C-alpha cells in the first residue's frame, strides 16, 4: 500500500507498506519501536508520528507540521522526527494514500525546503511571522484538493 515518509529535512520517500502488519512497518520506517501516535487532520489521510518526538530530542518536522496544519486549516502543535502518511478508510483503518494527497505532501515539502533556504539569507522577523508564512504557503499548496 502506498504511503509517504516525511523526514525532518522535508524530504519525501515513497513507501510500499505491506497490507498485513502495516503498523509494524510504519514503526520501523519512523524508527519507533514503541508507540506511534496517529494524527487525523483531514478526513482521508492519517499522520503516524513518534509519540513525544520533540520531548525526546528529535528535530522538528516543519513539512509534516505545515501539511497537517494546512489540512486542518489552523496552526497545530509542532511535530518532531520522521512522519509516515497513509490513507485512512471511513472506519479508521490504514489504507493506501490517494494521489491527490501525495501531491499535497510533495507541494508542501517543496515549499518548506524553498522557504527554509530563503530564510538563510532573509530571516523571518519573528517565530510568529515564520509560522504565518509557512502556513499561508502550505494552505495555498493544498487548496486545489479541498
Amino acid at each position: 500500500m502506498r504511503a509517504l515518509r516525511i523526514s525532518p529535512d522535508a524530504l519525501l520517500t515513497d513507501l510500499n507498506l505491506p497490507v498485513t502488519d502495516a503498523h509494524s512497518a510504519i514503526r520501523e520506517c519512523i524508527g519507533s519501536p514503541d508507540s506511534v501516535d496517529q494524527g487525523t487532520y483531514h478526513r482521508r489521510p492519517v499522520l503516524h508520528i513518534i509519540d513525544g518526538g520533540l520531548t525526546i530530542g528529535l528535530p522538528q518536522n516543519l513539512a509534516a507540521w505545515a501539511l497537517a496544519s494546512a489540512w486542518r486549516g489552523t496552526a497545530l502543535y509542532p511535530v518532531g522526527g520522521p512522519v509516515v502518511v497513509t490513507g485512512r478508510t471511513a472506519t479508521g483503518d490504514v489504507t493506501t494514500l490517494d494521489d491527490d494527497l501525495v501531491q499535497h505532501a510533495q507541494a508542501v515539502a517543496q515549499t518548506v525546503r524553498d522557504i527554509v533556504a530563503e530564510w538563510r539569507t532573509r530571516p523571518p522577523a519573528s517565530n510568529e511571522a515564520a509560522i504565518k508564512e509557512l502556513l499561508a504557503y502550505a494552505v495555498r499548496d493544498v487548496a486545489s484538493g479541498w
Side-chain angles (χ1 to χ4, degrees):
M1 103 181 56
R2 186 173 190 187
L4 289 175
R5 181 183 186 271
I6 306 173
S7 65
D9 58 0
L11 294 177
L12 298 181
T13 304
D14 266 306
L15 302 174
N16 185 13
L17 300 176
V19 175
T20 58
D21 205 18
H23 293 286
S24 178
I26 290 167
R27 284 192 305 276
E28 185 176 317
C29 287
I30 62 174
S32 178
D34 301 320
S35 79
V36 174
D37 285 338
Q38 292 185 349
T40 306
Y41 308 104
H42 184 287
R43 68 189 176 280
R44 293 181 4 241
V46 62
L47 275 68
H48 304 269
I49 303 165
I50 295 174
D51 187 23
L54 289 176
T55 60
I56 62 172
L58 296 176
Q60 188 170 358
N61 191 324
L62 288 176
W65 168 85
L67 181 63
S69 295
W71 278 337
R72 181 52 62 121
T74 189
L76 299 170
Y77 53 87
V79 175
V83 171
V84 170
V85 185
T86 64
R88 182 173 77 92
T89 67
T91 59
D93 293 328
V94 173
T95 190
T96 195
L97 188 62
D98 293 333
D99 289 341
D100 63 326
L101 299 175
V102 169
Q103 291 171 356
H104 290 181
Q106 290 169 336
V108 169
Q110 183 62 54
T111 293
V112 168
R113 289 192 303 270
D114 293 345
I115 289 174
V116 169
E118 282 181 31
W119 286 347
R120 290 186 184 102
T121 58
R122 180 199 49 86
S126 66
N127 283 341
E128 183 177 302
I131 289 169
K132 285 182 180 182
E133 181 179 9
L134 270 179
L135 187 54
Y137 283 118
V139 167
R140 176 207 62 192
D141 290 342
V142 303
S144 64
W146 284 100

